Amino acid sequence: MRLVIARCSVDYAGRLTAHLPSAPRLILVKADGSVSIHADDRAYKPLNWMSPPCTLKEGSGDEEGVWTVVNKAGEKLIITMEEVLHDSSHELGIDPGLIKDGVEAHLQELLADRIDTLGDGYTLIRREYMTAIGPVDILCRDAGGATVAVEIKRRGEIDGVEQLTRYLELLNRDPHLAPVRGVFAAQEIKPQARVLATDRGMDCVVLDYNALRGIEDDKLRLF
């Protein structure tokens, strides 16, 4: 990962145009090719970004200090450096992914074993389906054969919906899986998260942990 802190302006040219006037900002260039520009006033969300696959070209000569990032659709993110305050690169290696707490991990295991909890005809493809940004909790197919990605939380909040949104964006680029629909599953789903998930075409499922645990050994019972 490359970290650059610089006074810069940023212009986006694509389906619409946007301009960030000159100010000190953090620029992240990740190993997957993504580029994002951050301010110091808003948690994790960037001011502007370009998702992979994209290419970064650093200008020279008359264009020195101008970075041009272009994605496969031809959209451009143009970063004009005025003063570079910091520039360093760090090898992070392969990330082991998020370690879920015991309840979330057990919910994932139980739901994978009882995938028909989501609906009749559902079949499991696999748990922890790996993507470039981390593993999807469950990947399955519905009764019609369509691919479904399931994100599981103990408490469903907006950040979980955003996480599932990023997974769906990547999965839908794979022609062997697309179209991929999302299911946001949790023991409790906050109203704001439900509204956002529904607006993005995701289904919301409330999981009863105790009920799932109670039927865990049904296959071993004779009566």
Side-chain angles (χ1 to χ4, degrees), residues 18-186:
H19 174 71
L20 293 173
S22 176
R25 298 189 175 94
L26 168 65
I27 304 166
L28 299 183
V29 183
K30 295 186 178 180
D32 63 3
S34 63
V35 178
S36 57
I37 297 97
H38 298 259
D40 201 18
D41 65 347
R42 57 183 67 205
Y44 63 89
K45 189 173 183 180
L47 295 165
N48 214 327
W49 68 94
M50 194 70 82
S51 300
C54 57
T55 57
L56 167 61
K57 179 181 178 181
E58 297 185 43
S60 58
D62 293 340
E63 295 293 318
E64 186 174 0
V66 178
W67 290 13
T68 304
V69 187
V70 184
N71 66 13
K72 64 179 181 179
E75 298 169 318
K76 293 182 179 181
L77 195 63
I78 301 170
I79 307 170
T80 304
M81 307 287 191
E82 298 171 14
E83 180 185 8
V84 176
L85 306 172
H86 175 86
D87 188 346
S88 64
S89 296
H90 308 270
E91 180 59 52
L92 301 185
I94 298 174
D95 191 89
L98 178 68
I99 305 300
K100 293 181 176 290
D101 68 27
V103 173
E104 287 187 9
H106 201 199
L107 278 170
Q108 182 193 113
E109 179 184 346
L110 289 170
L111 186 58
D113 188 50
R114 302 285 178 174
I115 198 65
D116 56 358
T117 300
L118 298 177
D120 293 337
Y122 273 70
T123 57
L124 179 69
I125 296 176
R126 66 168 298 169
R127 292 170 53 197
E128 299 286 332
Y129 185 91
M130 187 56 66
T131 74
I133 58 173
V136 177
D137 287 334
I138 290 177
L139 198 68
C140 57
R141 296 193 187 279
D142 64 19
T147 311
V148 180
V150 185
E151 179 63 24
I152 299 171
K153 298 293 183 186
R154 186 161 55 90
R155 175 178 296 175
E157 301 190 45
I158 284 178
D159 58 350
V161 178
E162 295 286 5
Q163 184 179 357
L164 180 54
T165 299
R166 294 192 292 271
Y167 287 145
L168 290 172
E169 182 182 352
L170 286 176
L171 293 169
N172 274 299
R173 295 177 188 173
D174 186 339
H176 299 293
L177 297 175
V180 184
R181 180 169 57 84
V183 170
F184 190 52

